[in-house]
């Protein structure tokens, strides 16, 4: 009868250089996997922040002078409007009608359910009473569609640029009333230029 031979495999039987090479390959695989995990985590986190929390936006044009200037870099936050409604004088970012890939930045003047009108002297009326505000760079010269009373729907806002005579806003049919669900977010913080860094004035 032949004896059964059992062969034991252990590191003692493997040359030192082969053991070291195998361990090095394992370590390299672990490092590569950890980097893949890290990069994936950063990509997912960045997507979530941009989609639900905030994003960097660059101002294009002078319609919000003197509050904002051309090429100002802003952080637009999206979180607060998930828990509360936009307020009067908030500076918001939204796409104009029929141009979902464009984004305008304006200030909220009229709230849902209110009636807005601008007279020939440039006075803004909310529900028949003059609105006290000092954001406008100049007195409004062209009331546009607001020369007649505009009653906002339950989900609509009336917006103006602070540079009142150099702004395409709710006075224009191109923009009209801004729907609540089209608002991208609220301009929150200016991060460039360095001389202008700070939180933006809303209320």
């Amino acid at each position: 009868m032949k004896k059964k031979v059992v062969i034991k495999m252990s590191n003692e039987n493997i040359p030192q250089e082969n053991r070291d090479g195998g361990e090095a390959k394992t370590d390299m695989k672990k490092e590569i996997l950890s980097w893949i995990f890290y990069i994936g985590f950063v990509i997912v986190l960045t997507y979530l922040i941009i989609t639900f929390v905030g994003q960097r936006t660059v101002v294009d044009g002078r319609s919000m002078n003197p509050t904002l200037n051309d090429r100002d870099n802003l952080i637009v936050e999206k979180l607060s409007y998930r828990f509360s409604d936009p307020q009067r004088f908030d500076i918001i970012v939204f796409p104009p009608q029929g141009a979902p890939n464009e984004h305008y930045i304006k200030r909220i003047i009229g709230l849902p359910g209110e009636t807005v009108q601008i007279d020939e002297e440039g006075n803004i009326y909310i529900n028949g009473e003059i609105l006290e505000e000092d954001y406008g760079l100049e007195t409004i010269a062209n009331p546009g569609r607001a020369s007649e009373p505009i009653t906002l729907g339950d989900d609509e806002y009336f917006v103006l640029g602070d540079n009142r005579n150099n702004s395409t806003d709710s006075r224009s049919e191109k923009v009209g009333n801004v729907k609540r669900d089209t608002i991208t977010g609220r301009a929150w913080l200016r991060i460039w230029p360095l001389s202008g860094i700070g939180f933006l004035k809303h209320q």
Side-chain angles (χ1 to χ4, degrees), residues 142-150 158 169-173 175-177:
N142 179 18
R145 58 190 286 269
S147 60
E148 298 294 330
I150 296 173
F158 186 93
D169 45 43
S170 287
R171 293 170 292 170
S172 166
E173 294 290 348
V175 177
N177 304 337

Side-chain angles (χ1 to χ4, degrees), residues 99-124:
N101 295 324
E102 290 184 43
H103 283 86
Y104 284 7
I105 182 165
K106 308 293 176 185
R107 192 182 296 276
I108 291 177
I109 297 298
L111 301 174
E114 293 182 337
T115 297
V116 181
Q117 186 173 12
I118 303 174
D119 66 18
E120 293 179 355
E121 284 73 44
N123 296 308
I124 303 170

Side-chain angles (χ1 to χ4, degrees), residues 16-64:
Q16 181 67 37
E17 60 272 17
N18 290 346
R19 288 208 309 272
D20 292 344
E23 290 173 359
K25 287 180 180 178
T26 301
D27 290 343
M28 183 176 293
K29 286 180 180 178
K30 287 181 179 178
E31 187 171 348
I32 291 172
L33 287 173
S34 67
W35 272 106
I36 291 173
F37 175 80
Y38 175 75
I39 292 170
F41 175 77
V42 170
I43 291 172
V44 171
L45 183 62
T46 301
Y47 170 79
L48 291 174
I49 289 173
I50 291 174
T51 304
F52 300 108
V53 180
Q55 70 182 55
R56 175 174 164 270
T57 298
V58 180
V59 176
D60 182 12
R62 296 177 172 79
S63 71
M64 283 297 292

